[in-house]
Amino acid sequence: MHIAMIGTGYVGLVSGACFADFGHHVTCVDKDGDKIAALQQGEIPIFEPGLDALVAANVKAGRLRFTTDLAAPVAEADAVFIAVGTPSRRGDGHADLSYVYAAAKEIAAALAGFTVVITKSTVPVGTGDEVERLIREANPAADVAVASNPEFLREGAAIRDFKFPDRIVVGTSDERARKAIGEIYRPLSLNQAPVMYTARRTAELIKYAANAFLATKITFINEIADLAEKVGADVQDVARGIGMDNRIGSKFLHAGPGFGGSCFPKDTRALVKIALDHDAPLRIVEAVLGVNDNRKRAMARKVAHALGGNLRGKTVAVLGLTFKPDTDDMREAPSIPLITGLLDMGAKVRAFDPVGMEAAKRELPDIVYCDDAYDCADGADALVIVTEWVQFRALDLDRLKAVMKQAVVVDLRNVYRPEEMAAAGFVYEGVGRGKV
Ligand code: NAD
């Protein structure tokens, strides 16, 4: 199959490389000329484990190409995926569909022969209808079917998630589209990955419902963590105790600083707006958003509290800036409101992240960027673990204590055990586990 992937970001690049690895001929298109130039020279513009080798192997095999020119690859494609961004629209939280619609119009003009246009971007219910309308309006002669195929990969584990998905959701009522998409994913269905065919609108809603449910699960355990702190219980054990119940499941039950990232915040916001527009408000999801926003802001106060309430003149070391480990993505990372709050309260902030510092410098210019965890902790009154990179899971506690001004650790990911930190001479505060 010949595939054109429109948008070569986290989703487009990973999906394009994986489709090429399945044996298809893929052209990844992006309007960002710097990104395409870098890819043409073998440089990967994002950090995603294993992606460089996968891209290199498929480029070498002649199955994966990069270009800024949309028309030629669309004309020769059997399937065109739209994987452009759908960020929150400034001001009202709706999904900004301008990139999707612009791509649809460009695609329309270039279509030749029967082509399936598939929306992989996360889009509100009804977007497929509008994409189809725009294409038919711009090119009434086009032989086209428009389908939805939402993507569920997680950054940091994107290739594994793409190649071993829990399910593949395909939204279409067109038999030719169904056949073409089935052919594209055949290597996965041969591996027993469940492929679920459904109506286009249903597929669009599945994606938002999945993200909202996961965001709700995280927020639920975060509130239980607050209660655990008040009543002297350990949220880690509560999470294990409820997670062993198969009806609940153990995933997404890690208490922390609140969810961030490129998807959950914007997708829950968009779902709330979609629901209000259709007069079917989702009060639970609305509450999740409110609780999560408050929580992210409260983390700076938690650090201040650990240092006696006053941060003026204090130095805080922050370990981990990206919204989760194994990515360089800073979008809506909890580190941003945390650090902004610490600066507002008069603290000086030093920070270290294994791969996210370049991206972080654009968001957080007024802090000191360090070479490693110990350099970061040097002279600090408190150390805050914000992102649980594997590098921070086995720190040399004696060395840490020796370089810090005060031995205070606020562990927002519960990486360490309170007893071991107390034994090492630290004042330690985790999430939902009280203070040692
Ligand atoms: P991204 O911002 O990393 O990449 C989007 C790319 O599209 C950019 O490189 C941009 O230059 C390009 N683009 C925009 N308009 C274009 C056009 N007309 N022609 C060519 N290129 C164009 O975004 P992302 O994180 O890959 O997300 C893409 C979509 O996938 C979003 O809807 C997102 O919600 C969804 N999604 C993301 C993830 C994730 O983990 N990042 C997971 C599942 C779904």
Side-chain angles (χ1 to χ4, degrees), residues 146 158 178 214 287 292 306 394 403 413:
V146 175
R178 192 185 158 115
L214 293 172
N292 193 61
V403 297
R413 299 291 181 174

Side-chain angles (χ1 to χ4, degrees), residues 422-435:
F426 283 90
V427 174
Y428 173 83
E429 199 170 323
V431 175
R433 300 192 302 183
K435 197 169 177 172

Side-chain angles (χ1 to χ4, degrees), residues 132-261:
E132 181 162 357
R133 194 192 66 75
L134 286 170
I135 292 176
R136 294 202 188 285
E137 184 181 75
N139 185 351
D143 187 10
V144 67
V146 175
S148 163
N149 169 223
E151 183 49 58
F152 298 96
L153 62 78
R154 292 163 301 168
E155 288 174 22
I159 296 170
R160 199 181 57 228
D161 283 354
F162 196 91
K163 290 193 166 178
F164 302 96
D166 290 339
R167 78 304 205 186
I168 296 155
V169 173
V170 178
T172 182
S173 51
D174 184 291
E175 203 40 53
R176 288 187 298 171
R178 192 185 158 115
K179 205 164 152 258
I181 298 171
E183 191 61 28
I184 291 170
Y185 280 107
R186 216 163 77 90
L188 296 187
S189 44
L190 288 177
N191 277 345
Q192 311 296 328
V195 184
M196 177 185 168
Y197 292 95
T198 180
R200 192 163 64 193
R201 285 176 164 247
T202 306
E204 291 169 337
L205 187 54
I206 286 171
K207 174 63 192 179
Y208 277 112
N211 274 1
F213 189 84
L214 293 172
T216 302
K217 220 174 159 188
I218 296 172
T219 306
F220 177 81
I221 202 67
N222 282 340
E223 286 204 310
I224 294 291
D226 290 346
L227 178 60
E229 276 178 20
K230 294 272 162 58
V231 301
D234 184 330
V235 74
Q236 301 270 95
D237 286 347
V238 175
R240 247 165 39 89
I242 65 173
M244 280 190 274
D245 185 326
N246 282 331
R247 294 169 301 177
I248 297 173
S250 59
K251 293 190 177 152
F252 282 77
L253 283 181
H254 300 286
F259 62 79

Side-chain angles (χ1 to χ4, degrees), residues 24 67 84 116 131-132 150 208 226 260 274 298 301 310 318 327 331 341 377 383 396 409 427:
H24 303 305
T67 179
V84 301
V116 191
V131 166
E132 181 162 357
Y208 277 112
D226 290 346
I274 296 165
R301 292 197 295 279
N310 186 1
V318 172
T327 181
R331 287 179 276 186
L383 178 85
D396 178 338
V409 169
V427 174

Side-chain angles (χ1 to χ4, degrees), residues 255-257 299 302 338 384-386 410-414 429-431:
M299 291 300 115
K302 185 176 172 80
L338 167 77
V384 188
I385 300 174
V386 183
V410 180
D411 180 358
L412 299 182
R413 299 291 181 174
N414 289 341
E429 199 170 323
V431 175

Side-chain angles (χ1 to χ4, degrees), residues 52 199 263 382:
D52 45 0
C263 291

